[in-house]
Amino acid sequence: MSTTKHKTLLLDFEKPLAELVNRIEQIRELAEENDVDVSGQIRQLEARAQQLREEIFTSLSPAQRLQVARHPRRPSTLDYVQAISDEWMELHGDRCGHDDPALVGGVGRLDGQPVVFLGHQKGRDTKDNVARNFGMASPGGYRKALRLMEHANKFGMPIITFIDTPGAWAGMEAEHQGQGEAIAYNLREMFRFEVPIICTVIGEGGSGGALGIGVGDRLLMFEHAVYTVATPEACAAILWKDSSKSPQAAVALKITSHDLKELDIIDHILTEPSGGAHTDPLSAAKTLKEALLENLALLAHLTPQERQQQRYAKFRKIGVFTENARKQQ
């Protein structure tokens, strides 16, 4: 990887760490050229770099976590599926003339167990992102997802979904094709399915686009992922007519995994490698696979009726709030 390319992938708050890492590399190169032993100094600098990395990533603001969730190198649905499945076959089409590349899915095996995988798929570069509409699914994408979920329910296969989208496609054509109806229909049907459903927010979970494949028995979320009713930029534009106030909106929206766990919206937080999932995708995939297998084992002990009742109760309690009234003077 060239230095120029590496710099374009750096997030603002990572620059002090990158400078320290570059200094370590420069010292190592100079030591090799001059045949000098500086291993002790390098070990000290590497320990400092690791400490700095942990300090940075344990104190990220909601807006900074959003940057991590949107990192172009962050593992995608297809990355995770290929890393955790024994075998995998992608299926295409919604049987209505569309095959949305922004939402992918298929059948596979997870530790030998047949399952159906599906999730949003962003691109790796500008060209790929345009082809996949930046992970924003059309009505055809949600209908394809529903077709695959119905297939899973018919043949008794658990459904594993991966959420990573800024939101459903909001174009005029999507509205003409029934975007709202497609998402609403998915919501209703996912409550009906008898098989276990596990949803995981792997990156950016935005608005109805996330909910369209987000109804499940368990909702998992990676540590630096975000899950929100609207992007902070959109929220700031609506409330203050100023998208530059998105950091303030990100705090108010409670978009982080720790906020959502405290609100009892998600069930489990998946720890990411130091520096984010993109720094060690295989380690992140291992954590994901272990969590999926653990939750599938627990859900397997329930009857279909018990899963449906618990699924309903899980979402019925979301939205509880308290109001503190000012004392009358």
Side-chain angles (χ1 to χ4, degrees), residues 51 83 123 189 207 209 211 264 267 269 294 328:
Q51 181 184 0
E189 294 303 293
S207 192
L211 289 176
D264 205 22
D267 298 296
I269 298 175
E294 179 183 348
Q328 297 293 330

Side-chain angles (χ1 to χ4, degrees), residues 75-88:
S76 67
T77 291
L78 290 177
D79 292 328
Y80 282 124
V81 169
Q82 291 166 2
I84 69 176
S85 62
D86 305 326
E87 55 182 311
W88 149 257

Side-chain angles (χ1 to χ4, degrees), residues 73-75 79-80 83 124 222 273 276-287:
R73 296 299 179 195
R74 193 169 178 86
D79 292 328
Y80 282 124
R124 280 294 179 216
F222 270 105
H278 59 279
T279 63
D280 191 350
L282 291 179
S283 176
K286 181 181 178 182
T287 300

Side-chain angles (χ1 to χ4, degrees), residues 37 65 78 99 103 111 116 124 146 166 172 181 188-189 192 204-205 228 231 236 262 273 286 298 326 328:
D37 183 13
R65 289 186 188 274
L78 290 177
D99 181 30
L103 208 157
D111 203 28
V116 164
R124 280 294 179 216
L146 180 61
M172 187 177 296
E181 184 272 345
R188 188 187 74 179
E189 294 303 293
R192 176 181 64 82
E204 183 180 11
T228 175
T231 64
E262 186 176 338
K286 181 181 178 182
L298 294 173
R326 292 182 179 178
Q328 297 293 330

